[in-house]
Amino acid sequence: MLSRKGLIPEDYLLTRLAEGVLQPKFKAKAGKARFVAKNGTCNVAHTNIREQGRFLQDVFTTLVDLKWLHTIVIFTMSFLCSWLLFGMVWWLVAFAHGDLDQRGDDFVPCVTDIHSFSSAFLFSIEVQVTIGFGGRMITEECVSAIVILIVQNIVGLVINAIMLGCIFMKTAQAHRRAETLIFSKHAVISVRNNKLCFMVRIGDLRKSMIISATVRMQVVRRSTTQEGELVPLDQIDIHIDNPVGTNGVFLVSPLIISHVMDRASPLYELSASDLQLDDLEVVVVLEGVVETTGITTQARTSYVSEEILWGQRFVPTVSEEDGMYAVDYSKFGNTVKVPTPCCSAKALDEAGGLARLKLSEGVTLRPSVRRRRGSTMIRRSRMESQNLARAPEGLEVTTLEAPE
């Protein structure tokens, strides 16, 4: 794998190549199954399917979905079986016409130089793949031989179209492009623009862009309806905060996809303590059109509760160097801790917002380097007032000013 050789940092996962990468840093809860794996595969097993014949009605898609070993075996056997079948037909035509017997020079066979089944099999291969060695050829003696020649050509063209099209689609499948679409290993929850936000980072390793790229998020959790019905996999859409008003992104550099945890969010009542207890899974789907091929591709990943970091944010990866922007992918999944309330977004709204909470609890989310001088003057004035209060009557107290 590329990550084992050090070519790709271990701070993020490839959507497809991550199947063989060891990631022992985090583990899912015991007994909790993921709906979507980190590499994008859906962890769903289809069982007790009685109508198996529906797969045969769409043979082409079934062949494309098969494994490479099965596809190669079917590819080889389809040609071999057709060659053997028409080889047997040509041998029967020659046997019925008497071409296998030794006749005089004035005898005209249906197919020249067919003396056994081996020669009939070789002639079948020449007809279907149009090799044309020139030793064997059909004559005007038998009408049935002409009909068989036409049928074999049509059957050969159909087999070539299906099998070669299947091989082409398997090599040019859309998920191959998704191998270079990457997601951050962890998601983060922190304050952004005075709002509690859920954020993930996405990126594209190739220079060829993804046209009309869109990002969707869904929360997958176990829920119960008002009537008492248990929904084991309830999929709830998450609105993404995008300035243009849609989910479309311009994926020319790594982007941080943000979701504001407001009243309409399914994460509105989620707090830092509830995050470790809730069976939560957030699925992120990136879709777009490949610029070079025009094929629609899709990359997926998910984040469970153990993979969501509360009170952290992503570090910048883009810097300006020599008049152009450079992306440092070694920092793609790096995060730093930032001051973040541990309560839910609902509790923040009930407390009057983040600004009211900071005033009531004395919490500041901004560095106070410039306020050191002011705080020093306040402490100095308090000390002077205390000294004046403690001094006896008639005694003058002199205060010394500290140098600036």
Side-chain angles (χ1 to χ4, degrees):
M1 302 302 296
L2 297 178
S3 59
R4 294 179 181 176
K5 297 179 181 179
L7 299 179
I8 295 179
E10 295 182 355
D11 293 330
Y12 58 88
L13 292 179
L14 295 180
T15 57
R16 297 291 177 185
L17 296 180
E19 296 180 359
V21 180
L22 298 178
Q23 299 293 337
K25 296 183 181 180
F26 53 87
K27 296 181 181 179
K29 294 182 180 179
K32 174 67 170 61
R34 301 179 72 118
F35 184 60
V36 177
K38 293 296 290 184
N39 58 3
T41 58
C42 296
N43 189 22
V44 179
H46 300 276
T47 59
N48 298 328
I49 300 178
R50 298 180 180 180
E51 299 181 0
Q52 298 288 343
R54 292 181 176 270
F55 296 98
L56 297 179
Q57 296 178 3
D58 188 7
V59 180
F60 186 78
T61 305
T62 303
L63 292 176
V64 173
D65 291 339
L66 291 177
K67 297 181 179 180
W68 268 108
L69 179 61
H70 299 163
T71 303
I72 293 175
V73 170
I74 294 175
F75 180 85
T76 305
M77 294 304 298
S78 62
F79 284 102
L80 286 178
C81 292
S82 63
W83 294 341
L84 288 172
L85 176 62
F86 283 99
M88 179 63 69
V89 173
W90 288 116
W91 183 83
L92 291 175
V93 170
F95 178 78
H97 190 258
D99 297 347
L100 303 179
D101 300 334
Q102 296 294 332
R103 300 291 183 91
D105 296 337
D106 55 346
F107 178 76
V108 179
C110 294
V111 181
T112 60
D113 292 338
I114 289 184
H115 307 291
S116 61
F117 179 77
S118 299
S119 58
F121 177 72
L122 292 175
F123 179 72
S124 175
I125 296 176
E126 293 179 18
V127 170
Q128 188 160 333
V129 299
T130 63
I131 294 177
F133 290 117
R136 301 173 183 87
M137 63 179 181
I138 192 173
T139 63
E140 301 176 357
E141 184 67 20
C142 302
V143 179
S144 59
I146 298 175
V147 175
I148 294 172
L149 177 66
I150 296 174
V151 172
Q152 185 174 3
N153 282 324
I154 296 175
V155 172
L157 290 175
V158 173
I159 294 176
N160 287 335
I162 294 177
M163 300 312 301
L164 294 180
C166 175
I167 296 297
F168 172 77
M169 291 302 299
K170 286 186 70 67
T171 55
Q173 279 183 345
H175 66 81
R176 301 299 178 186
R177 178 62 176 87
E179 291 181 355
T180 52
L181 299 176
I182 55 177
F183 299 88
S184 58
K185 184 190 301 183
H186 297 90
V188 297
I189 295 178
S190 61
V191 176
R192 199 179 200 189
N193 296 327
N194 291 328
K195 296 179 181 179
L196 205 60
C197 298
F198 175 89
M199 292 172 286
V200 299
R201 176 176 274 172
I202 61 175
D204 188 4
L205 298 179
R206 289 187 180 272
K207 291 185 178 180
S208 59
M209 295 179 53
I210 299 295
I211 304 173
S212 302
T214 59
V215 180
R216 294 185 292 108
M217 287 188 186
Q218 286 185 342
V219 172
V220 180
R221 59 174 23 155
R222 184 189 301 268
S223 63
T224 305
T225 61
Q226 298 179 358
E227 293 78 15
E229 179 186 0
L230 178 62
V231 182
L233 295 175
D234 190 10
Q235 302 180 25
I236 306 173
D237 290 333
I238 295 180
H239 176 70
I240 297 176
D241 184 21
N242 197 334
V244 298
T246 61
N247 294 339
V249 295
F250 186 55
L251 196 59
V252 68
S253 64
L255 297 177
I256 297 177
I257 305 302
S258 175
H259 161 66
V260 179
M261 300 166 60
D262 52 8
R263 296 180 181 272
S265 171
L267 307 177
Y268 184 60
E269 300 180 0
L270 183 67
S271 62
S273 59
D274 297 336
L275 182 62
Q276 304 301 326
L277 302 176
D278 193 5
D279 290 336
L280 179 68
E281 182 176 358
V282 180
V283 179
V284 183
V285 180
L286 171 61
E287 295 179 338
V289 179
V290 182
E291 183 180 19
T292 54
T293 60
I295 301 175
T296 303
T297 185
Q298 184 183 94
R300 301 178 296 267
T301 191
S302 68
Y303 301 93
V304 294
S305 301
E306 291 80 2
E307 299 165 4
I308 301 175
L309 305 180
W310 191 284
Q312 298 194 25
R313 68 183 178 192
F314 294 105
V315 299
T317 59
V318 181
S319 60
E320 187 175 355
E321 298 178 1
D322 299 332
M324 65 180 301
Y325 294 98
V327 180
D328 187 4
Y329 280 98
S330 63
K331 302 178 182 178
F332 185 85
N334 295 352
T335 59
V336 293
K337 293 184 178 181
V338 292
T340 304
C342 295
C343 60
S344 63
K346 180 179 180 180
L348 284 177
D349 292 343
E350 293 176 353
L354 188 60
R356 182 73 62 84
L357 181 65
K358 288 189 293 184
L359 292 176
S360 61
E361 297 184 359
V363 179
T364 177
L365 299 180
R366 295 182 179 179
S368 57
V369 176
R370 297 183 178 179
R371 299 182 181 179
R372 291 180 180 176
R373 183 177 178 182
S375 60
T376 304
M377 298 297 294
I378 294 174
R379 289 197 301 269
R380 188 186 306 161
S381 61
R382 289 179 179 176
M383 292 175 61
E384 292 176 357
S385 60
Q386 292 177 1
N387 293 332
L388 290 174
R390 295 176 182 176
E393 296 181 358
L395 182 62
E396 183 180 356
V397 178
T398 304
T399 60
L400 299 177
E401 295 184 359
E404 294 292 338

